[in-house]
Amino acid sequence: MEQVLHTYGKTLLAILTTGILLAWIFRGIEDDKGNQGILHIAGANVGSAEARPEEYVEFEGFLNEGACEKPVITYCQAGSLQTGAIDLCDCIKAVDCVGNDLQVTIISCMDPYDMLMVPYSGQSGYIFAEPGIYTVQVSAMDEGRRKTVCRIQIPVQKSL
């Protein structure tokens, strides 16, 4: 700090002195509206903004949009699944705050040994080769770009 003051001290002192001198010189001037002093003249010429509530109609829509809940994702099968090829989008559903169905995205599917499974067709078809608890991570996004991500544990039994 001392080195900064030593290097730039004279410049700062000159700027401060010039500002005080100009304020002292211009303190006596007066404009045609009767404002006296440079600061009062500048302040009188700055326009003031008025609040117009009719322009804030969008804010109410923003509040209504903010009141909407995130999408809800549910596992809609009663009981456990059978081993074999299964499309998980048939088992998992998502709805928005109004009740419209949403597209479900399968992020990952883990087998009972916590190994990542690879889909056999598209993004949602998996082969459940052996019984156990499979963990599926899914997401859904609504029109308002509200997103829900959740993990669902799906029990799989050996098909008879």
Side-chain angles (χ1 to χ4, degrees):
M1 184 69 177
E2 184 178 325
Q3 188 177 13
V4 171
L5 286 176
H6 179 67
T7 305
Y8 299 109
K10 291 181 183 178
T11 305
L12 292 173
L13 184 61
I15 291 171
L16 184 63
T17 306
T18 304
I20 292 172
L21 182 64
L22 288 174
W24 182 71
I25 290 172
F26 291 121
R27 72 177 159 82
I29 63 171
E30 187 174 323
D31 69 352
D32 56 347
K33 298 176 189 168
N35 298 314
Q36 191 173 13
I38 193 76
L39 295 177
H40 291 285
I41 293 171
N45 291 323
V46 173
S48 60
E50 294 181 23
R52 294 184 201 103
E54 65 274 1
E55 293 180 3
Y56 300 111
V57 180
E58 296 173 5
F59 186 69
E60 186 174 322
F62 177 73
L63 287 177
N64 292 337
E65 188 70 24
C68 292
E69 297 293 323
K70 290 183 176 183
V72 176
I73 300 173
T74 55
Y75 175 69
C76 56
Q77 294 290 330
S80 60
L81 298 176
Q82 303 295 322
T83 56
I86 297 172
D87 187 2
L88 289 176
C89 286
D90 294 338
C91 307
I92 300 170
K93 301 293 180 196
V95 294
D96 62 5
C97 64
V98 182
N100 299 327
D101 288 336
L102 298 174
Q103 179 180 353
V104 175
T105 304
I106 308 297
I107 298 171
S108 66
C109 183
M110 307 292 273
D111 67 9
Y113 306 107
D114 287 333
M115 300 296 294
L116 185 64
M117 296 175 61
V118 178
Y120 74 91
S121 75
Q123 291 182 333
S124 61
Y126 288 89
I127 296 176
F128 296 95
E130 54 187 81
I133 304 292
Y134 290 77
T135 304
V136 180
Q137 185 173 5
V138 296
S139 70
M141 185 180 298
D142 65 3
E143 289 180 359
R145 303 206 41 92
R146 289 176 291 272
K147 184 177 182 179
T148 299
V149 177
C150 69
R151 291 179 192 259
I152 300 174
Q153 291 187 326
I154 300 175
V156 176
Q157 292 181 349
K158 194 171 215 174
S159 55
L160 301 174

